[in-house]
Amino acid sequence: MLKLDRRRKYYLVLDCETATLPYAGNLPAEAKKNVAIAKPLIYDLGWKIIDKKGRIYSQKNFLISEIFSVPSVFDTAYYASKRPLYLSMLEKGEIVLTDWKSATAELVEALEAVEGVTAYNAAFDFKRSIPFTELYISYLYSPDFHEWL
């Protein structure tokens, strides 16, 4: 990766993959799809910091343990069949398994170094995925989780 030069402008390109609430796995396909769009849970969070010419200066890729490591949740993901690929990436060090709090702390740090942010599906990622994952995980660690769920 290239070193950041504070005189230049950098941009963060975000990408994430999502699963959804565990009960969605028991629903018919169309209903499952609607729940997944309304209640997305990020299990794969990654980004690149680039310049205006597309040169990559930094790259991060995380598997979120609270989602990826819980089969009843991860199995609701559209790409659930790619679990062996993710395990291979983990083994090779191409992705890091970590908790949501640690991954988002690194994301906030990366955001401080850039001029702008974009995503492949920005409206979904910023308006749905990140806020709902944050809400879900805040309840996951609370005594009220099952009542909330």
Side-chain angles (χ1 to χ4, degrees), residues 26-59:
N26 300 326
L27 299 173
E30 193 59 35
K32 178 180 172 182
K33 179 181 170 187
N34 291 336
V35 172
I37 290 170
K39 309 290 186 198
L41 297 170
I42 298 171
Y43 68 85
D44 177 352
L45 178 66
W47 63 85
K48 292 179 182 180
I49 294 180
I50 62 170
D51 65 13
K52 68 181 180 180
K53 293 185 178 182
R55 290 181 289 223
I56 300 170
Y57 290 82
S58 175
Q59 181 172 325

Side-chain angles (χ1 to χ4, degrees), residues 42-123:
I42 298 171
Y43 68 85
D44 177 352
L45 178 66
W47 63 85
K48 292 179 182 180
I49 294 180
I50 62 170
D51 65 13
K52 68 181 180 180
K53 293 185 178 182
R55 290 181 289 223
I56 300 170
Y57 290 82
S58 175
Q59 181 172 325
K60 297 285 182 166
N61 202 9
F62 297 108
L63 284 174
I64 306 304
S65 60
E66 294 96 337
I67 310 303
F68 182 77
S69 300
V70 180
S72 64
V73 179
F74 180 75
D75 287 349
T76 67
Y78 182 79
Y79 294 119
S81 63
K82 291 187 177 184
R83 186 173 186 79
L85 175 63
Y86 282 112
L87 295 174
S88 174
M89 291 170 68
L90 269 171
E91 198 173 285
K92 294 175 190 172
E94 297 170 351
I95 197 166
V96 175
L97 181 66
T98 191
D99 62 277
W100 177 252
K101 185 176 180 180
S102 299
T104 55
E106 287 205 37
L107 176 58
V108 167
E109 186 178 318
L111 290 169
E112 292 171 357
V114 300
E115 184 75 18
V117 181
T118 188
Y120 296 105
N121 193 356

